Amino acid sequence: MKPVKVGLLGLGTVGTGVVRIVEGHQADLFGQAGSPISIEKIAVKNMAKLRNVAIDAGKLTEDPWDVINDPEIDVIVEVMGGIDQTKAYILEAIARGKHVVTANKDLMALHGPEILAAARENRCDVLYEASVAGGIPIIRTLIEGFSSDRITKIMGIVNGTTNYILTKMSREGASYHDVLKEAQELGYAEADPTSDVEGLDAARKMTILATLGFRANVALEDVSVKGISSVGKDDIAFGKRLGYEIKLLGIAESQDDFISVSVQPTLVKNSHPIAAVNGVFNAVYVYGEAVGETMFYGPGAGELPTATSVVADLVTVVKNLKLGVNGMQAASVFKEKKLKTDAQISYKNFLRLHVEDRAGVLAKITQVFAEYEVSLESVIQQPSTEHSEAEIIVITHNASKAAMNGVLQAFESLDVIRNVKSVYRVEG
Amino acid sequence: MKPVKVGLLGLGTVGTGVVRIVEGHQADLFGQAGSPISIEKIAVKNMAKLRNVAIDAGKLTEDPWDVINDPEIDVIVEVMGGIDQTKAYILEAIARGKHVVTANKDLMALHGPEILAAARENRCDVLYEASVAGGIPIIRTLIEGFSSDRITKIMGIVNGTTNYILTKMSREGASYHDVLKEAQELGYAEADPTSDVEGLDAARKMTILATLGFRANVALEDVSVKGISSVGKDDIAFGKRLGYEIKLLGIAESQDDFISVSVQPTLVKNSHPIAAVNGVFNAVYVYGEAVGETMFYGPGAGELPTATSVVADLVTVVKNLKLGVNGMQAASVFKEKKLKTDAQISYKNFLRLHVEDRAGVLAKITQVFAEYEVSLESVIQQPSTEHSEAEIIVITHNASKAAMNGVLQAFESLDVIRNVKSVYRVEG
């Protein structure tokens, strides 16, 4: 039987995992896909580099176009990363009738609609299970598993680096900077950690999840983003005292087809299943009108977990090839995007304020909340370590983002407030 | 556009949910499936019964054959339950070229291979996502999400009734019988709870999961089953003291394609994600060689969660109809079944023994373990409440089932042992 011929773009961590699984699981993959799968060509940055996996040197090239332009190649597996140049490779591959499997969240978050439209036009599959939450098959779940339901909320721990940092801070009472340094030494965080710790990586993944969950094209710029670099030991300690863990959550919500998507440090009630997701693990919590609460948990990165998702997509492409139905799946996005305004977005808030330690301060502060009709669930006041300063912790009831913006603006001109230390969302 | 015509067998809890979702989500389902879906005929037990959902009385019949024999019906949705008669309905529907969506775990566990073979022969889809773990799309996940991986372990909390009972016992220190009675009053347990509490319901679901996970036809009689009716307050209390929760776990394992499947009360280390699955919720933990640890969590039963899975399958059937590929998916079972012997099955054990309270007893007992080469992880001895009796708690290291059978047989003729109170598996 003629094998399905695969061209690989990239042979880093994930690419190596793809080679390992395709070579190591031949019999199983044949059973699943009904056809042998063969990696024929691999584009690498540097042909001279030593590899962790045995590869016929004749298959390597330093020019991705060698792979794209090869008429024998049926499927391109893109695990090289990058955006503009990589998009050009993928669009050309599609134009040549090749199917594409990609792990590239950046590309799919920014150019997903364009790439998927080109794929449909050319009857090509473009599959990207590995782009979000590594080994967790969450994209299939949103497209197929919940095709019958109206999803109203998706909450994701979709960045392992920040979850590792926050878990360590919570367990050891350590500071953000100490833990980040350790994570960098262990290889869990990059030398320049900005994309992870400032929430951009998570925002890209939430763009993809929100698009699939709500069946409308959400764009990266629709996502409001705040990272974890400002989360202090005290925030975590106060959170614990009140029964919460702090997690970097991506939260996408839809009510009556009006959507909001955000990424921010969030206090999660510790009875909520997502509060127990620790270390580099990822999890996506999905709430559907009919199904109710579900959660999908697993490794969010790593060579073999991510490669599992890439190769599962490859199996789907091969199955579709045998049936002659590539690129013919119904589009999973069929709704117009409507975004919520700040007046429509509503959640609970945690605030930590440093204030002057004298009579009447709490009255002035609660007066501001009252003016903006934000009601309070709990208030704790205690002396601060600083001289003649007190610390006030407030948890609000659900309040609109517009009202909270008003409160925070009013606080700026309130003389008794020295410092708004933290403002975080609260869930569960 | 001509709608896809559905015939419903059964209008109980799940059937009502299916009607609600199909009627209530018309626009969304059209977006997903690319075709309208219409429920044309419904077979019910009693036409005179009052319903919780508005239904055109002209669609109802008391004779399922009216639905099966209707040449206009494209898809049969079977949510009536039952085995032999229901199998006859489904096989006849397939013979007539109708596709089938079923929530019937009993039928699929007992006759799945025969029904699926008939479906392939007749180019019909038979989908059964709702048969295991209600609203969790675990069947799709095993077939497609992990098609690239070799799954080596599946652990499931797949019976909500027993998980509710064990959760209550753990939280409140209540006895099995008190909690069962309460569960029956609340409708979480049936008047005759045997199938749930003795593990048969879970065994049927594990038969389906093991078959899909290991790609080999596992039969119900391959599953070793022990229910929760013998679990005592003391077992739970001792478990807690040692850092474990007791759960009714279905455990399917495969090493080098040798399979074992069991259902039994299991002490799960409370750091394991499945230990935190409480109440009527279900969860399936899947370990794959490449992907590592994953877990899928959600509602295991109920009108709308189960109907979500049924209707998602219906959407898949409709998509396949539009592509003309029903019944043409590669078989997901392609391996020969090889079962482990008792000498190959190995795990940790928790034992609680009531023994005579005199010198040399522990030596005699540990001597038996040594004879069968079972090594011990921890031993606790303490005075019992009974006169001149002591209680001994043992947790073994991994030991083969054959060796443990030898130990338990030797204990029967050991005069110092008054009673082997409990023997449970230990995980995590």
Side-chain angles (χ1 to χ4, degrees):
Chain A
M1 194 183 289
K2 206 171 140 274
V4 172
K5 292 181 177 171
V6 175
L8 197 57
L9 303 184
L11 192 58
T13 306
V14 179
T16 305
V18 170
V19 173
R20 268 193 230 281
I21 293 180
V22 171
E23 306 285 325
H25 293 197
Q26 274 293 327
D28 293 75
L29 290 176
F30 181 83
Q32 293 287 347
S35 176
I37 296 173
S38 162
I39 296 175
E40 296 282 309
K41 250 185 199 156
I42 306 175
V44 297
K45 266 203 204 122
N46 176 2
M47 285 182 58
K49 193 182 156 190
L50 280 174
R51 310 277 163 198
N52 288 328
V53 60
I55 286 171
D56 175 357
K59 291 185 173 176
L60 299 182
T61 169
E62 288 183 2
D63 183 1
W65 291 115
D66 282 351
V67 183
I68 307 289
N69 292 334
D70 184 339
E72 291 287 301
I73 301 284
D74 306 297
V75 190
I76 297 289
V77 171
E78 186 275 300
V79 287
M80 66 194 291
I83 298 179
D84 293 332
Q85 182 58 58
T86 308
K87 180 183 162 196
Y89 294 142
I90 286 182
L91 287 177
E92 180 62 24
I94 292 168
R96 290 170 175 262
K98 297 187 199 306
H99 311 293
V100 175
V101 174
T102 175
N104 193 327
K105 62 187 173 293
D106 305 341
L107 183 65
M108 292 310 291
L110 290 170
H111 303 294
E114 182 185 347
I115 290 168
L116 294 170
R120 264 192 304 279
E121 212 169 288
N122 288 275
R123 290 273 162 99
C124 291
D125 286 330
V126 171
L127 302 177
Y128 49 103
E129 183 65 75
S131 67
V132 181
I136 308 174
I138 187 64
I139 289 182
R140 280 182 169 70
T141 297
L142 291 175
I143 294 180
E144 292 171 30
F146 294 141
S147 63
S148 54
D149 204 357
R150 279 197 286 256
I151 294 169
T152 56
K153 190 166 192 171
I154 302 171
M155 297 204 294
I157 293 178
V158 289
N159 180 276
T161 304
T162 47
N163 203 49
Y164 173 85
I165 293 172
L166 292 172
T167 301
K168 270 278 205 188
M169 288 175 71
S170 169
R171 285 188 178 161
E172 300 173 5
S175 81
Y176 168 74
H177 289 285
D178 290 347
V179 177
L180 173 60
K181 212 178 132 216
E182 192 194 317
Q184 286 171 318
E185 284 161 11
L186 288 167
Y188 291 159
E190 305 198 30
D192 175 1
T194 314
S195 162
D196 290 320
V197 301
E198 296 308 339
L200 183 59
D201 174 82
R204 287 171 170 165
K205 292 163 178 168
M206 290 308 298
T207 304
I208 297 171
L209 294 183
T211 294
L212 294 171
F214 304 147
R215 338 287 189 197
N217 275 319
V218 173
L220 183 57
E221 60 262 31
D222 301 330
V223 185
S224 116
V225 186
K226 181 165 147 186
I228 65 162
S229 56
S230 67
V231 176
K233 289 200 278 191
D234 292 351
D235 295 316
I236 290 180
F238 270 112
K240 269 186 195 289
R241 225 172 97 179
L242 297 163
Y244 295 91
E245 291 290 334
I246 297 188
K247 297 289 182 189
L248 183 69
L249 285 195
I251 304 182
E253 291 176 290
S254 171
Q255 273 104 37
D256 304 323
D257 288 340
F258 280 85
I259 293 170
S260 66
V261 189
S262 61
V263 170
Q264 69 273 296
T266 305
L267 278 81
V268 188
K269 197 85 192 167
N270 48 29
S271 55
H272 193 287
I274 212 164
V277 175
N278 289 318
V280 295
F281 275 91
N282 281 16
V284 182
Y285 169 95
V286 179
Y287 190 93
E289 271 182 18
V291 76
E293 290 192 280
T294 63
M295 194 173 84
F296 306 90
Y297 168 93
E303 178 188 315
L304 290 174
T306 311
T308 300
S309 286
V310 170
V311 182
D313 277 351
L314 191 52
V315 169
T316 300
V317 171
V318 176
K319 284 182 178 176
N320 286 346
L321 273 169
K322 291 189 74 86
L323 297 176
V325 296
N326 303 83
M328 291 172 71
Q329 292 296 320
S332 52
V333 168
F334 51 87
K335 291 190 183 181
E336 201 196 333
K337 177 181 73 182
K338 294 179 284 186
L339 294 176
K340 287 189 191 186
T341 64
D342 280 0
Q344 291 170 305
I345 297 171
S346 161
Y347 48 83
K348 293 183 181 189
N349 298 269
F350 164 96
L351 293 93
R352 187 158 67 90
L353 311 171
H354 280 191
V355 301
E356 291 185 10
D357 195 5
R358 57 179 168 88
V361 169
L362 194 56
K364 281 193 177 175
I365 289 167
T366 52
Q367 172 63 24
V368 173
F369 282 110
E371 256 166 50
Y372 288 91
E373 295 185 347
V374 174
S375 64
L376 307 183
E377 183 182 292
S378 60
V379 178
I380 301 176
Q381 178 170 351
Q382 63 171 31
S384 166
T385 45
E386 306 293 315
H387 237 25
S388 72
E389 196 167 275
E391 190 155 47
I392 293 181
I393 308 293
V394 172
I395 292 185
T396 73
H397 284 295
N398 275 338
S400 78
K401 201 171 164 183
M404 281 302 300
N405 287 343
V407 167
L408 293 172
Q409 226 157 20
F411 280 175
E412 276 177 29
S413 51
L414 199 65
D415 57 347
V416 299
I417 294 186
R418 293 200 181 150
N419 202 343
V420 176
K421 299 292 283 185
S422 319
V423 184
Y424 298 125
R425 181 165 176 157
V426 178
E427 281 292 325
Chain B
M1 192 182 290
K2 205 171 141 270
V4 171
K5 291 182 177 170
V6 175
L8 196 57
L9 303 183
L11 192 57
T13 306
V14 178
T16 305
V18 170
V19 172
R20 269 192 229 279
I21 293 180
V22 171
E23 306 284 325
H25 293 198
Q26 274 292 325
D28 293 75
L29 290 175
F30 181 83
Q32 293 286 349
S35 176
I37 296 173
S38 163
I39 295 175
E40 297 281 307
K41 251 187 196 153
I42 306 175
V44 297
K45 266 204 204 120
N46 176 2
M47 287 181 58
K49 194 182 156 190
L50 281 174
R51 309 277 164 198
N52 287 329
V53 60
I55 286 171
D56 175 357
K59 291 184 173 177
L60 300 183
T61 169
E62 287 183 3
D63 183 2
W65 290 114
D66 282 350
V67 183
I68 307 291
N69 292 335
D70 184 338
E72 291 287 302
I73 300 284
D74 305 298
V75 190
I76 297 290
V77 171
E78 185 274 302
V79 287
M80 66 194 290
I83 299 178
D84 292 332
Q85 181 59 57
T86 308
K87 180 184 161 196
Y89 295 142
I90 285 182
L91 287 177
E92 180 62 23
I94 292 169
R96 289 170 176 263
K98 297 186 198 308
H99 310 294
V100 175
V101 173
T102 175
N104 194 327
K105 62 188 174 291
D106 305 340
L107 183 64
M108 292 310 291
L110 290 169
H111 303 294
E114 182 185 349
I115 290 168
L116 294 169
R120 266 193 303 279
E121 211 169 292
N122 288 272
R123 292 273 161 99
C124 291
D125 287 330
V126 171
L127 301 177
Y128 49 102
E129 183 65 75
S131 67
V132 181
I136 309 173
I138 186 65
I139 288 181
R140 278 182 172 69
T141 297
L142 291 175
I143 294 180
E144 291 170 30
F146 293 142
S147 63
S148 55
D149 205 357
R150 279 197 285 257
I151 294 169
T152 55
K153 190 166 191 173
I154 303 171
M155 297 205 293
I157 292 179
V158 289
N159 180 276
T161 304
T162 47
N163 203 48
Y164 173 85
I165 292 172
L166 292 172
T167 301
K168 271 277 206 188
M169 287 174 70
S170 170
R171 286 188 178 161
E172 300 173 7
S175 80
Y176 168 75
H177 289 286
D178 290 347
V179 177
L180 173 60
K181 212 178 133 211
E182 193 194 316
Q184 286 172 317
E185 283 161 11
L186 289 167
Y188 290 158
E190 304 199 31
D192 175 1
T194 314
S195 162
D196 289 321
V197 300
E198 295 308 338
L200 184 60
D201 174 81
R204 287 171 169 164
K205 291 162 177 168
M206 290 309 296
T207 303
I208 296 171
L209 293 182
T211 294
L212 294 172
F214 304 146
R215 338 287 189 200
N217 275 319
V218 173
L220 183 57
E221 59 263 31
D222 302 329
V223 186
S224 116
V225 186
K226 182 166 146 184
I228 66 162
S229 57
S230 67
V231 175
K233 289 200 277 194
D234 292 350
D235 296 314
I236 290 179
F238 270 111
K240 269 187 196 289
R241 227 172 97 181
L242 298 164
Y244 295 92
E245 291 290 334
I246 298 187
K247 297 289 183 189
L248 183 70
L249 284 196
I251 304 182
E253 289 175 293
S254 171
Q255 272 103 37
D256 305 322
D257 288 340
F258 280 85
I259 294 170
S260 67
V261 189
S262 61
V263 170
Q264 70 274 298
T266 305
L267 278 81
V268 189
K269 197 87 191 164
N270 47 30
S271 55
H272 194 287
I274 211 165
V277 175
N278 288 318
V280 295
F281 275 91
N282 281 18
V284 181
Y285 169 96
V286 179
Y287 190 93
E289 271 182 17
V291 76
E293 290 194 281
T294 63
M295 194 174 84
F296 306 90
Y297 168 92
E303 177 187 316
L304 290 174
T306 310
T308 299
S309 286
V310 170
V311 181
D313 277 350
L314 191 52
V315 169
T316 300
V317 170
V318 175
K319 284 180 177 177
N320 287 347
L321 272 169
K322 291 188 75 86
L323 298 176
V325 295
N326 303 84
M328 290 171 71
Q329 290 299 319
S332 52
V333 168
F334 51 87
K335 290 190 182 180
E336 200 197 332
K337 175 180 75 183
K338 293 180 283 185
L339 294 176
K340 287 190 190 183
T341 63
D342 280 0
Q344 291 171 302
I345 298 171
S346 162
Y347 47 83
K348 292 184 181 187
N349 297 269
F350 164 95
L351 292 94
R352 188 158 65 90
L353 311 171
H354 279 190
V355 302
E356 290 183 13
D357 194 4
R358 58 181 167 85
V361 168
L362 194 56
K364 281 194 176 176
I365 288 168
T366 52
Q367 172 62 23
V368 172
F369 282 110
E371 255 167 51
Y372 288 90
E373 295 184 349
V374 173
S375 63
L376 306 184
E377 182 182 294
S378 60
V379 178
I380 301 175
Q381 178 171 350
Q382 64 170 32
S384 166
T385 45
E386 306 293 316
H387 237 25
S388 71
E389 196 166 275
E391 191 156 45
I392 293 180
I393 309 292
V394 172
I395 292 186
T396 72
H397 284 298
N398 275 338
S400 77
K401 201 171 165 182
M404 281 303 300
N405 286 343
V407 167
L408 292 172
Q409 224 157 22
F411 280 175
E412 275 177 30
S413 50
L414 197 66
D415 57 347
V416 299
I417 294 185
R418 290 198 183 153
N419 202 342
V420 177
K421 298 292 284 184
S422 318
V423 184
Y424 298 125
R425 182 167 176 155
V426 177
E427 282 292 324

